[in-house]
Amino acid sequence: MTVKKQRYILCLLLTGALLYYAAPRLSIEAGGLEGIFAIGWLVLATFVIAGNLAALLFSPAKASKRVKGKTSDSRKRRLRSFG
């Protein structure tokens, strides 16, 4: 497991712990700034979870980078020979 994946998992765990601690204390039905803060905090926590999950699930493989490098070298050779 790479360092980036470990960081994503750590961020997900920390966000889950913060939600576990804060969700019962946040009052969405409250009026004024308290309700706006609660909704904003929950939306931000949702964005953090979604972003880390997306980065964890859709990270590119290392093998594809090597393939791209080889194709660009052969492409350069072809362009030089036909150019």
Side-chain angles (χ1 to χ4, degrees):
M1 194 180 278
T2 63
V3 177
K4 285 186 179 182
K5 287 189 178 186
Q6 290 176 350
R7 184 182 66 111
Y8 297 143
I9 292 172
L10 179 66
C11 287
L12 283 170
L13 289 173
L14 287 173
T15 306
L18 286 171
L19 274 173
Y20 179 78
Y21 179 77
R25 292 165 175 77
L26 292 173
S27 177
I28 296 173
E29 294 95 17
L33 282 177
E34 184 180 353
I36 293 171
F37 175 80
I39 292 171
W41 198 90
L42 290 173
V43 167
L44 259 149
T46 305
F47 286 160
V48 169
I49 290 173
N52 283 304
L53 272 177
L56 186 63
L57 294 175
F58 300 114
S59 60
K62 289 184 180 180
S64 65
K65 290 181 182 177
R66 292 179 188 157
V67 171
K68 286 181 182 177
K70 289 181 182 178
T71 57
S72 66
D73 291 338
S74 64
R75 200 177 199 187
K76 287 180 185 177
R77 287 181 195 152
R78 279 189 278 160
L79 287 175
R80 288 180 187 163
S81 64
F82 294 114

